[in-house]
Amino acid sequence: MIHPKLLGLLIVAYFSGSRAENAFSQYWKEHIGLPHPPHWLAAKASPLSPQQMAHFVKLMKENELASHLHSFCKQANIACSTNALVKKKRNNRILRPVSKFNDNKLKYELPNEIPLSIASQGGLPYFRESMVKEGSFMPIPDLRDQMSYKSFLPRTLASKFPFSFTQIKEFKKLFGVVDNTNMDEYIQNNLKLCEKSPNQGEQCTCATSAEDLIDFVTEKLGHHIDIWSTESVEGSYENVTIGAMKLVYGNFSEAPTLCHSLPFPFQVYYCHVLWKVKVYAVELHARKKMNHVIMACHYDTSTWNPNHLAFKLLSFGPGLIEVCHWINENGMVWTKSLG
């Protein structure tokens, strides 16, 4: 029998999460012409109640948030520096565990700093479209989000954090992040990414709240849009059989928006609008079960850095080939609705 106090806590937690998802779903319905967000995206809504948010905003104004870090991170469902770090173990038979502070640090769009060791994790992070054919075999990299458990912060609260590389010391102090740790590196790399100049013809942003994410996408694509995401992480580190493939978007005159989940204390998405991108839904027949994965193929690589890992792996240079990659767990491709 459940203790009455525990039952009360469970009820409060349930309704707090329910309110958060309802608020997110309402914002979604007001801006996007789809009935509801994907369940995994709705689950990333901040669990903070208005009263909790007001309390933490007050603590920030009084410079007292750091002394309440544990309760803040726990209630907001975000990453604290007190989380345990469990190192990955290589195992050819068992899928390597992902820790909350993952020591396999893939740096999005910082090509000069991407080590080739990433390609040796068990699969190809970049490949040619011709390499993906029904019935063929393909080594799949890790499809998992490095920190998939974390939630968004409410826009009101997220906007009060010093989201700038010039204020990184203040930001790290608020979250109790120690120098030369994995989280320190994540924060440094992602703040640099969010402030870097976009490539020619590219538009990008770092969305630090669910509302920011929806606003950016609808500003670029309008309100009648589709969202494509990978079903699960099945097939990670496996040599899978490619099943059926379907081109779900290939309109070069309308650029899709790709959004990547970044390893950060709270949920942040790096979104960029890119021209000449084809989007495929691909069946991967893994050992346990089939997975439906989204594949994005970039047909204009002319402005990419010559040192990009894709060119090192594929032995070509910018503008000479198309480059494809899988959309990882919690990643998204947004396109104008074809219906």
Side-chain angles (χ1 to χ4, degrees):
M1 184 175 178
I2 299 177
H3 192 279
K5 287 186 177 180
L6 177 58
L7 180 61
L9 289 172
L10 291 173
I11 292 173
V12 169
Y14 171 79
F15 281 105
S16 176
S18 179
R19 280 197 304 268
E21 288 193 24
N22 287 340
F24 176 49
S25 296
Q26 183 62 35
Y27 197 85
W28 175 281
K29 290 177 182 177
E30 291 173 357
H31 294 79
I32 293 180
L34 292 172
H36 50 76
H39 66 89
W40 58 266
L41 184 58
K44 286 186 169 292
S46 173
L48 292 177
S49 68
Q51 293 78 13
Q52 289 171 321
M53 184 177 68
H55 172 64
F56 290 124
V57 168
K58 182 174 180 289
L59 289 176
M60 285 192 69
K61 289 181 179 178
E62 297 172 351
N63 293 319
E64 292 292 332
L65 184 64
S67 60
H68 296 78
L69 184 64
H70 179 73
S71 62
F72 171 58
C73 291
K74 186 175 181 180
Q75 293 179 49
N77 189 40
I78 59 176
C80 285
S81 62
T82 52
N83 291 147
L85 171 60
V86 180
K87 288 187 177 294
K88 283 188 174 184
K89 297 179 180 179
R90 293 190 67 88
N91 191 312
N92 292 328
R93 295 183 180 178
I94 301 174
L95 190 64
R96 299 192 286 280
V98 170
S99 62
K100 289 186 176 181
F101 294 98
N102 187 313
D103 63 349
N104 248 335
K105 298 174 281 292
L106 173 61
K107 304 175 180 68
Y108 297 99
E109 296 297 312
L110 294 177
N112 285 325
E113 301 177 29
I114 298 179
L116 281 171
S117 60
I118 291 174
S120 65
Q121 292 178 8
L124 284 174
Y126 301 103
F127 44 90
R128 300 288 305 272
E129 183 179 7
S130 60
M131 297 168 66
V132 186
K133 296 179 179 179
E134 186 171 357
S136 64
F137 293 97
M138 187 81 176
I140 304 300
D142 195 348
L143 297 175
R144 292 169 293 178
D145 184 351
Q146 295 178 334
M147 296 168 63
S148 63
Y149 63 93
K150 63 190 183 303
S151 298
F152 283 110
L153 287 178
R155 174 186 270 171
T156 303
L157 188 55
S159 63
K160 297 189 180 301
F161 284 93
F163 197 80
S164 168
F165 192 79
T166 59
Q167 296 175 286
I168 190 170
K169 289 185 178 180
E170 183 181 348
F171 184 93
K172 286 165 53 179
K173 184 178 179 180
L174 284 169
F175 283 95
V177 176
V178 180
D179 290 346
N180 301 316
T181 59
N182 287 28
M183 184 57 79
D184 177 26
E185 186 170 351
Y186 287 148
I187 292 172
Q188 288 194 50
N189 290 336
N190 290 320
L191 288 179
K192 288 178 183 177
L193 166 64
C194 292
E195 294 180 354
K196 79 177 183 72
S197 299
N199 291 332
Q200 183 179 350
E202 180 186 26
Q203 302 172 71
C204 57
T205 191
C206 281
T208 58
S209 70
E211 297 91 338
D212 286 349
L213 174 67
I214 292 173
D215 287 353
F216 179 79
V217 171
T218 54
E219 176 190 341
K220 303 304 176 187
L221 301 177
H223 300 281
H224 299 289
I225 53 184
D226 292 319
I227 178 171
W228 310 94
S229 60
T230 290
E231 182 179 75
S232 74
V233 299
E234 290 292 333
S236 296
Y237 296 117
E238 292 183 26
N239 197 28
V240 307
T241 302
I242 302 297
M245 295 175 56
K246 181 181 179 181
L247 179 68
V248 297
Y249 194 81
N251 186 356
F252 282 178
S253 63
E254 297 283 358
T257 299
L258 282 69
C259 294
H260 309 278
S261 179
L262 299 182
F264 208 72
F266 50 89
Q267 183 63 60
V268 174
Y269 274 98
Y270 174 68
C271 297
H272 48 170
V273 181
L274 297 168
W275 293 93
K276 295 186 178 180
V277 176
K278 287 184 179 180
V279 183
Y280 290 87
V282 183
E283 292 180 352
L284 302 184
H285 293 273
R287 284 198 298 263
K288 289 186 177 180
K289 63 178 183 179
M290 183 172 66
N291 191 6
H292 296 88
V293 179
I294 299 302
M295 179 179 79
C297 292
H298 302 262
Y299 276 78
D300 183 3
T301 61
S302 59
T303 61
W304 289 25
N305 191 308
N307 293 319
H308 196 289
L309 176 61
F311 302 135
K312 294 180 180 180
L313 292 174
L314 301 173
S315 301
F316 283 90
L320 299 177
I321 58 168
E322 85 293 340
V323 172
C324 302
H325 62 85
W326 307 112
I327 299 298
N328 281 14
E329 177 188 22
N330 295 330
M332 297 168 280
V333 179
W334 305 76
T335 62
K336 283 198 172 184
S337 179
L338 300 176

